[in-house]
Amino acid sequence: MEEKSEEEIESALGLEPDAESSRSLFTQTTDFLNKYLHDLPSEKAYHNSSSAVEKINALSIPSKGRQFQELLNLLAETLPKSGINAAHPGHMGYVPGGGVITTALGDAIASITNEYAGLSFASPAGVAIENQMIDWMKKLMGYPSDAVGHLSSGGSIATLTALISARHWRKVTPENVRKQVIYGTRQIHHCVHKAITIAGLHFAEFREIQMDDQFKMDASDLRQKLSADAANGLQPFIILASAGSTDVGVMDPFASIADCAREHQCWFHVDAAFGGFFMLADSRRSLFQGIERSDSLVMDPHKGLFLAYGSGAVLIKDKSAVLDAMYHRASYMQDAAVHSRVPDPADLSPELTKHFRGLRMWLSLQYFGTDAFAAALEEKLTLTQYFYRSVQKLGYDVGPYPELSACIFRKKTADTLQLQNVENQHVLARIQHDGQVYLSSTTIDGVFWLRICILVFRTHQKHVDQLLTSLEV
Ligand SMILES: *Cc1c(COP(=O)(O)O)cnc(C)c1O
């Protein structure tokens, strides 16, 4: 073997800080995080600034490492000073996320141990933790114990896994794909259309289903279109429903849709990325009736379970459809195959090597208990209803009654729709410029709506009151 210079050896050992250096790195990080949390309430929810990007770009990747504190200082100057502060109680735009502290602690443990959570032989305990999370969600949503599931990076990949499984269940081929029909309303999230495209199902017909005045799927229109398609020699294939539609957060009529799906032998998929965990809230459980009859279900722990970004989940009843698409073996995996239990997480999703993301969820549920999450969700529901009542008193028009924690609202004082749209765009610009609260907007049938979604666990009454005050003018 060639002689290595001492310098080279020392440089390589640099990746293994000794116990004292490790402790110092942890301490500096903890101090950084504690200060971040301490300063957060006085920070803005939104900064429209580009100076942070310039600062990041100015620090090139060095050949010799930099001081850790210097890096933390840069992060402190940039991350909370640009864009949306997603951890901030004033973030009420889109579908906000969470970041309960146990996510970070779980991730730290997952990263230091670097457990290989894709295969049970490599990490029996890690896979058991992931499976416990899947089983818990199956039970929560009323799925049978022989359903399978997977923890993904988010709702988009979870949706892709579900739709690809549907494709294999139907045995879609290039010859029959154009006869397949997919049904959904205009409230379907764009990640579902993306998944349809990636799965090659954009060659199938997409049939838009009417909505009622609450923006819920009109089951009688669905029934009619299914029958018409069947009569015309087409094959009804997938029905897409939402538990918490993207714009207004309402629930589709799952029981009627499930009846239609059974009648026409369709795959019934529910996008519960926003709404799924509201099943934990006693006050909302009845809205989910019939969801347990779906064939696949997507939910996002990084939304309704308040975990940090990077946690989605999919539940699928037909295990063989999933395995048909995702189960592959290769000669270089033969040692794993001898020991592994099928299905392993790697057999149920596009991922092989993956983040041990079950741990952050497991640690959160085990440490806080489900009651804490249920109580936080109930609080967000109460706040949203409070906002819905209060904003009307300020003279705003509102959309459907908020079944979950989102609602749309708009000023209607100007004479024409066009002027009203401009008026509301100005309100939004003012709120975003102020930055204390972050709101987003949507346009439905040419009408511009302001939209609030309360799902940061740190958002409480005083933050909603602050928003109401700034909407007063
Ligand atoms: C967030 C969301 C998605 C997409 O999930 P990601 O986790 O962002 O990939 C899909 N559907 C709905 C209703 C959502 O709110």
Side-chain angles (χ1 to χ4, degrees):
M1 199 171 110
E2 249 179 81
E3 293 266 320
K4 294 276 178 209
S5 74
E6 273 191 20
E7 199 188 343
E8 270 179 305
I9 293 172
E10 199 167 308
S11 191
L13 286 176
L15 296 183
E16 300 168 61
D18 61 20
E20 197 185 329
S21 303
S22 297
R23 191 170 301 121
S24 164
L25 291 171
F26 280 127
T27 307
Q28 289 176 73
T29 306
T30 312
D31 290 348
F32 165 84
L33 292 173
N34 280 328
K35 180 159 175 5
Y36 176 89
L37 288 176
H38 175 269
D39 294 347
L40 190 60
S42 50
E43 187 50 77
K44 284 183 171 189
Y46 179 65
H47 290 272
N48 186 358
S49 141
S50 60
S51 65
V53 175
E54 287 156 20
K55 285 179 186 166
I56 296 285
N57 289 341
L59 201 71
S60 59
I61 300 301
S63 56
K64 303 270 183 278
R66 301 181 194 277
Q67 287 298 311
F68 195 61
Q69 193 59 50
E70 180 195 350
L71 304 174
L72 292 177
N73 292 346
L74 175 66
L75 295 178
E77 283 169 30
T78 51
L79 294 181
K81 303 293 179 193
S82 59
I84 300 172
N85 273 327
H88 195 281
H91 177 25
M92 306 181 202
Y94 308 106
V95 177
V100 286
I101 192 166
T102 38
T103 319
L105 305 175
D107 279 1
I109 297 170
S111 301
I112 295 283
T113 61
N114 205 18
E115 289 284 319
Y116 197 94
L119 297 171
S120 56
F121 107 90
S123 179
V127 171
I129 283 174
E130 170 149 341
N131 286 341
Q132 193 178 25
M133 295 299 93
I134 301 291
D135 288 344
W136 175 74
M137 285 185 284
K138 287 189 321 204
K139 212 163 163 201
L140 179 69
M141 304 311 288
Y143 263 42
S145 58
D146 60 350
V148 293
H150 183 251
L151 297 181
S152 63
S153 56
S156 301
I157 296 296
T159 303
L160 181 63
T161 303
L163 296 194
I164 287 180
S165 303
R167 185 184 74 192
H168 284 253
W169 166 78
R170 175 51 57 89
K171 300 190 178 12
V172 173
T173 64
E175 289 71 38
N176 69 17
V177 68
R178 288 177 200 279
K179 278 189 179 304
Q180 308 299 318
V181 192
I182 302 173
Y183 303 82
T185 71
R186 253 196 279 171
Q187 278 289 315
I188 289 296
H189 193 275
H190 74 272
C191 87
V192 181
H193 292 289
K194 203 172 176 178
I196 286 173
T197 306
I198 301 173
L201 296 176
H202 54 308
F203 296 112
E205 200 74 50
F206 186 87
R207 196 77 69 228
E208 187 182 309
I209 305 301
Q210 301 295 310
M211 296 179 284
D212 64 14
D213 56 2
Q214 307 279 295
F215 302 102
K216 292 176 183 236
M217 184 185 283
D218 175 351
S220 60
D221 187 49
L222 173 66
R223 189 163 286 123
Q224 254 169 26
K225 286 185 169 140
L226 283 163
S227 301
D229 285 334
N232 287 331
L234 295 172
Q235 280 197 299
F237 173 26
I238 301 174
I239 306 174
L240 302 162
S242 302
S245 58
T246 314
D247 281 329
V248 292
V250 295
M251 310 287 261
D252 281 327
F254 305 122
S256 312
I257 296 171
D259 289 341
C260 292
R262 188 176 45 200
E263 203 176 311
H264 289 274
Q265 282 115 49
C266 286
W267 182 284
F268 174 22
H269 173 76
V270 181
D271 178 355
F274 168 32
F277 288 101
F278 281 97
M279 187 69 132
L280 286 166
D282 287 342
S283 70
R284 289 302 180 278
R285 199 155 301 134
S286 62
L287 291 172
F288 286 87
Q289 210 195 340
I291 202 170
E292 71 285 352
R293 293 169 60 197
S294 61
D295 295 290
S296 55
L297 181 60
V298 161
M299 47 213 288
D300 258 352
H302 64 205
K303 288 176 179 161
L305 208 59
F306 309 119
L307 302 193
Y309 290 135
S311 280
V314 60
L315 304 177
I316 302 172
K317 280 189 186 155
D318 188 334
K319 178 164 123 183
S320 56
V322 188
L323 289 175
D324 192 48
M326 308 289 177
Y327 179 82
H328 290 264
R329 282 292 174 258
S331 52
Y332 46 82
M333 294 297 290
Q334 62 195 15
D335 307 334
V338 173
H339 300 286
S340 274
R341 274 186 315 130
V342 174
D344 271 332
D347 302 324
L348 298 171
S349 91
E351 295 179 89
L352 173 57
T353 306
K354 62 170 195 159
H355 178 48
F356 177 20
R357 57 177 74 95
L359 184 56
R360 42 167 43 205
M361 183 173 174
W362 179 86
L363 203 60
S364 301
L365 288 167
Q366 293 282 4
Y367 178 71
F368 290 117
T370 55
D371 286 356
F373 291 95
L377 288 167
E378 292 285 11
E379 184 204 10
K380 306 316 159 205
L381 291 164
T382 307
L383 288 176
T384 312
Q385 287 152 24
Y386 166 72
F387 177 84
Y388 183 78
R389 287 191 307 273
S390 308
V391 81
Q392 291 177 74
K393 290 184 196 147
L394 296 180
Y396 286 79
D397 195 24
V398 290
Y401 178 80
E403 290 189 323
L404 300 180
S405 67
C407 90
I408 52 172
F409 59 101
R410 60 193 284 267
K411 274 195 170 176
K412 225 177 147 181
T413 40
D415 290 338
T416 65
L417 175 63
Q418 200 187 359
L419 288 174
Q420 287 167 8
N421 284 356
V422 172
E423 186 180 20
N424 285 285
Q425 280 155 12
H426 284 159
V427 176
L428 183 70
R430 187 165 51 74
I431 304 265
Q432 291 189 348
H433 179 77
D434 174 53
Q436 298 304 320
V437 169
Y438 184 82
L439 280 187
S440 57
S441 66
T442 188
T443 298
I444 305 176
D445 297 331
V447 181
F448 182 93
W449 290 90
L450 300 162
R451 180 178 171 284
I452 183 176
C453 184
I454 305 181
L455 206 57
V456 173
F457 60 99
R458 297 188 177 96
T459 306
H460 305 296
Q461 165 116 25
K462 65 177 175 188
H463 307 110
V464 177
D465 281 336
Q466 193 179 11
L467 170 62
L468 286 165
T469 306
S470 53
L471 287 171
E472 250 170 47
V473 242

